Amino acid sequence: MWWFQQGLSILPSALVIWSSASFIFSYVTAVVLHHVDPLVPYISDTGTVPPERCLFGIMLNISALLGIATIYVQYKQVFYLNPEEPTMLKLNKAGFVFGIVSCFGLCIIANFQKSTLTAMHVIGACLTFGVGTFYILIQTILSYKMRPRNKSVFWIRLIVLLWCAASIVSMFISSVILYSGRCGVDLIQKLHWNPDEKGYSIHIMSTVSEWSLAFSVLSFFLTYIRDFQKITLYVVVQLDGHSLNYTNPQLLADEPQLPISGSL
């Protein structure tokens, strides 16, 4: 049995591979069609012009679904391993909320391009990477508390967290300088840069920080693979009759007591 066939380790693996592919395929398509410069464009710029915009959108939407599934499984694992620890349960619920909000932000990025609705695109980026960083922080704290003897996973997640935080700071500072008006106007719609232009070095610093931030977040989910190898998902199908026209009387009797939704 291959490592990705063990338990649910295929889930975080698929999330990282698919998300990376969405960035790379959009980048290659945009460069081949000369829609962006080959040297480190913004990730959002590679999904601005058709046809790569369509590819970028649909692949990131699928990434968001994979992210929600991965975050939910991680939430349930922590919940069942710490059923009677109030602090852990509160942190776990907070992390789950942050993770879902981050995935929602990814959907906004996928469906609201920077060239059409800039404000919504920026909001989506803040939700994805800003709130996503808080998710990584909480999961890092949980890994520290859940592994009192073996701290290897904690240290790896802490390094990824610091990588993510450094990328955010670098991107924020460079973006503020770039879009302050000192380097020109309407730069947010600019897809092609000349190395001799004013602000080019700041632009490169900003784009490199964005790519670094994206892959730091994706790298964090690689730390879930080993944990997810210990989780198995079973689906049980129960037939209550040999015909679709048959209804088990017991189900009709219990219908008022059936819960509408489960608790997290």
Side-chain angles (χ1 to χ4, degrees):
M1 180 181 292
W2 295 90
W3 60 269
F4 58 84
Q5 294 177 300
Q6 300 176 24
L8 290 180
S9 59
I10 187 63
L11 203 52
S13 304
L15 171 61
V16 174
I17 294 172
W18 183 270
S19 300
S20 301
S22 68
F23 298 147
I24 295 171
F25 289 166
S26 299
Y27 167 78
V28 171
T29 305
V31 169
V32 169
L33 296 177
H34 304 289
H35 292 162
V36 297
D37 297 324
L39 184 59
V40 202
Y42 281 114
I43 296 175
S44 301
D45 288 346
T46 65
T48 298
V49 182
E52 61 266 21
R53 179 172 69 185
C54 307
L55 181 67
F56 185 78
I58 192 170
M59 291 190 74
L60 282 191
N61 281 323
I62 295 175
S63 293
L65 292 176
L66 290 172
I68 290 172
T70 303
I71 289 166
Y72 180 73
V73 171
Q74 173 66 9
Y75 164 78
K76 280 296 186 181
Q77 183 185 45
V78 175
F79 176 82
Y80 283 114
L81 291 176
N82 305 273
E84 298 179 355
E85 297 186 30
T87 303
M88 299 284 283
L89 294 178
K90 289 179 181 178
L91 282 173
N92 193 30
K93 280 195 174 184
F96 177 74
V97 172
F98 284 143
I100 297 300
V101 171
S102 178
C103 292
F104 177 71
L106 189 60
C107 287
I108 295 177
I109 292 176
N111 296 287
F112 295 89
Q113 283 76 33
K114 187 178 74 171
S115 59
T116 53
L117 289 169
T118 305
M120 285 299 298
H121 189 84
V122 172
I123 290 173
C126 291
L127 291 177
T128 301
F129 297 117
V131 178
T133 302
F134 283 104
Y135 173 77
I136 294 175
L137 172 62
I138 289 177
Q139 293 302 322
T140 303
I141 295 173
L142 287 173
S143 64
Y144 178 82
K145 291 181 174 294
M146 291 176 62
R147 293 178 170 86
R149 297 181 180 177
N150 186 2
K151 299 292 186 184
S152 58
V153 174
F154 163 74
W155 287 114
I156 293 173
R157 291 179 180 175
L158 181 61
I159 291 172
V160 174
L161 174 62
L162 295 175
W163 174 17
C164 182
S167 299
I168 288 180
V169 172
S170 175
M171 183 178 177
F172 177 78
I173 294 174
S174 57
S175 297
V176 168
I177 297 174
L178 185 64
Y179 297 115
S180 62
R182 301 174 184 175
C183 303
V185 295
D186 201 27
L187 296 181
I188 200 165
Q189 305 294 342
K190 190 177 179 65
L191 297 179
H192 296 279
W193 285 78
N194 189 314
D196 298 327
E197 287 183 282
K198 184 179 181 180
Y200 179 76
S201 58
I202 301 297
H203 163 73
I204 292 298
M205 178 181 176
S206 180
T207 56
V208 168
S209 299
E210 184 186 48
W211 282 91
S212 174
L213 176 58
F215 281 100
S216 66
V217 173
L218 290 179
S219 298
F220 178 80
F221 288 100
L222 292 176
T223 65
Y224 283 174
I225 292 178
R226 190 170 182 180
D227 292 341
F228 278 39
Q229 287 176 340
K230 304 177 180 67
I231 304 173
T232 305
L233 178 67
Y234 292 98
V235 178
V236 179
V237 179
Q238 179 178 348
L239 296 178
D240 293 311
H242 299 288
S243 171
L244 295 177
N245 297 320
Y246 173 80
T247 303
N248 191 332
Q250 184 63 33
L251 292 178
L252 295 176
D254 295 342
E255 188 173 4
Q257 287 94 24
L258 289 176
I260 296 176
S261 62
S263 59
L264 292 177

